């Protein structure tokens, strides 16, 4: 039987509408609006597309937003100076530095330079530590998007076996930590597989929830999953497709065509986790601005 398609586009549109309404009710009447500063470095085509999508989404919900651009051979100190200026600028409640960064940039130093109260990516060690401890904090946008999809599709993780492919700081580590928290919204038993894992199939075949975040096109095949599995595909891989106008096609880490005929539910690529990441960035920025202006959301 064909799997239920978990539609991230529809859910992200709903979330954007909710945020837009909150801006209209809680902010605009007081002549204030949430603000997001996006920093874009170098000429990576995917990063340019993502940052432009983020800017457009900000415009849609009524946020103030600005994009700050650096060429790929910029000096790290210039970036730190800009971040320090943005930390003091009350127009911006959220700051993000689009990744990947050029190799000469110390990612840890950049993460540390952002005010934790404006760290809407959740990459600052203080926020990352809070997440690990199960305290309230900014949840990195992709893991937050995955949790929101599962919640809105009423797919429970409590008592279930979640298998995660990938151990990155942006996705694998935070989603593993979030899913194993002691809470009725999480409560999963978690296995994390990575490049040194032997016999990955032995793990994936047991998964009630499989999260693929390794950046390898079509890595997960039908023989690696069971019929009751919910598959969340985080991969956004560009593969060459000479017949198409822009010469490439976006595919996930999962072989959608065959896996979707076997499992219970699955996210497509595009239209699954991708749009959710942007919606959750907006949500985190709304939370940062709500905290800054001390707005009581329940009022
Ligand atoms: N590049 C890929 N995903 C992300 C993300 O969530 N935040 C930032 N800043 N860069 C990314």
């Amino acid at each position: 039987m064909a799997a239920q398609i978990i539609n991230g586009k529809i859910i992200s549109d709903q979330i954007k509408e909710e945020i837009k309404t909150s801006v209209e009710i809680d902010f605009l009447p007081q002549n204030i609006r949430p603000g997001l500063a996006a920093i874009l470095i170098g000429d990576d085509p995917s990063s340019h597309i993502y940052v432009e999508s983020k800017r457009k989404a900000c415009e849609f919900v009524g946020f103030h937003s600005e994009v700050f651009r650096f060429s790929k051979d910029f000096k790290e100190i210039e970036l730190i100076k800009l971040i320090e200026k943005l930390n003091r600028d009350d127009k911006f409640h959220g700051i993000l530095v689009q990744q990947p960064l050029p190799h000469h940039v110390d990612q840890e130093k950049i993460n540390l330079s952002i005010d934790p109260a404006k760290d809407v990516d959740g990459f600052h060690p203080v926020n990352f530590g809070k997440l690990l401890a199960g305290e309230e904090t900014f949840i990195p946008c992709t893991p937050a998007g995955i949790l929101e999809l599962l919640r809105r599709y009423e797919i429970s993780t409590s008592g279930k076996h979640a298998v995660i492919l990938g151990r990155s700081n942006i996705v694998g580590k935070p989603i593993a930590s979030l899913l194993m928290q002691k809470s009725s919204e999480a409560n999963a038993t978690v296995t994390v597989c990575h490049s040194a894992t032997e016999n990955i199939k032995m793990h994936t075949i047991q998964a009630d929830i499989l999260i693929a975040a390794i950046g390898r096109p079509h890595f997960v095949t039908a023989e690696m999953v069971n019929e009751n599995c919910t598959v969340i595909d985080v991969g956004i891989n560009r593969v060459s497709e000479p017949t198409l106008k822009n010469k490439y096609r976006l595919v996930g880490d999962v072989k959608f065509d065959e896996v979707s005929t076997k499992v219970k539910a699955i996210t497509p690529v595009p239209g699954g986790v991708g749009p959710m990441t942007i919606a959750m960035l907006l949500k985190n920025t709304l939370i940062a601005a709500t905290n800054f202006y001390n707005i009581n959301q329940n009022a």
Side-chain angles (χ1 to χ4, degrees):
M1 226 178 66
Q4 177 186 28
I5 304 298
I6 300 175
N7 192 323
K9 174 78 177 72
I10 290 176
I11 303 291
S12 69
D13 284 347
Q14 278 170 9
I15 294 169
K16 283 195 266 187
E17 286 296 341
E18 291 162 13
I19 293 171
K20 190 167 185 257
T21 303
S22 173
V23 172
E24 283 160 6
I25 293 173
D26 300 326
F27 289 84
L28 297 187
Q30 302 183 58
N31 268 327
I32 52 176
R33 59 175 77 225
L36 178 71
I39 301 174
L40 176 59
I41 300 157
D43 43 20
D44 178 69
S46 298
S47 290
H48 276 256
I49 294 169
Y50 294 145
V51 168
E52 178 55 16
S53 304
K54 289 171 183 179
R55 192 198 61 74
K56 272 196 191 143
C58 282
E59 198 176 331
F60 175 79
V61 297
F63 286 4
H64 171 72
S65 78
E66 283 179 47
V67 179
F68 299 86
R69 292 182 171 80
F70 286 89
S71 65
K72 64 176 183 305
D73 48 4
F74 73 104
K75 291 205 177 65
E76 193 182 86
I77 186 70
E78 291 171 33
L79 174 58
I80 305 266
K81 273 190 189 153
L82 171 65
I83 292 172
E84 285 170 352
K85 193 165 142 237
L86 295 170
N87 282 340
R88 294 188 298 271
D89 189 335
D90 290 353
K91 282 198 304 297
F92 299 108
H93 312 99
I95 301 169
L96 78 87
V97 183
Q98 186 65 27
Q99 293 191 24
L101 293 174
H103 294 302
H104 71 281
V105 183
D106 182 346
Q107 176 76 56
E108 222 170 296
K109 217 160 145 187
I110 303 305
N111 292 346
L112 268 172
S113 69
I114 297 176
D115 178 350
K118 297 191 176 189
D119 171 36
V120 285
D121 261 328
F123 296 162
H124 190 287
V126 165
N127 290 329
F128 214 76
K130 283 186 181 178
L131 180 142
L132 203 59
E135 293 170 22
E136 205 169 305
T137 186
F138 292 115
I139 299 176
C141 303
T142 303
I146 295 170
L147 293 184
E148 196 64 22
L149 276 182
L150 293 173
R151 198 166 69 80
R152 297 204 185 207
Y153 273 84
E154 297 180 349
I155 297 167
S156 171
T157 58
S158 188
K160 298 290 196 295
H161 186 189
V163 176
I164 297 159
L165 303 183
R167 56 180 160 182
S168 69
N169 288 343
I170 298 187
V171 186
K173 281 183 201 158
I175 194 68
S177 174
L178 290 159
L179 284 172
M180 71 180 177
Q181 297 293 345
K182 186 172 182 177
S183 113
S184 55
E185 294 235 312
N187 269 343
T189 301
V190 177
T191 299
V192 180
C193 301
H194 45 74
S195 51
T197 302
E198 289 178 7
N199 197 353
I200 285 195
K201 183 184 161 190
M202 181 185 80
H203 300 287
T204 58
I205 198 83
Q206 296 176 40
D208 299 308
I209 294 142
L210 178 66
I211 299 176
I214 44 172
R216 288 175 62 177
H218 292 163
F219 180 83
V220 177
T221 57
E223 61 159 31
M224 293 170 72
V225 291
N226 74 65
E227 282 83 359
N228 271 319
C229 189
T230 294
V231 179
I232 307 290
D233 190 351
V234 181
I236 304 178
N237 308 293
R238 280 168 172 249
V239 296
S240 159
E241 187 87 44
T243 56
L244 292 179
K245 196 171 149 216
N246 46 12
K247 309 281 183 229
Y248 72 88
R249 191 162 66 95
L250 291 181
V251 302
D253 289 353
V254 177
K255 237 180 184 174
F256 182 87
D257 289 352
E258 62 176 59
V259 174
S260 64
T261 63
K262 184 172 181 187
V263 298
K264 195 161 75 181
I266 187 167
T267 60
V269 176
V273 175
M276 288 300 292
T277 299
I278 295 182
M280 300 322 285
L281 172 70
L282 299 174
K283 190 79 193 258
N284 281 349
T285 306
L286 184 75
I287 292 169
T290 301
N291 294 342
F292 179 81
Y293 291 115
N294 215 359
I295 290 169
N296 182 356
Q297 279 199 307
N298 301 316

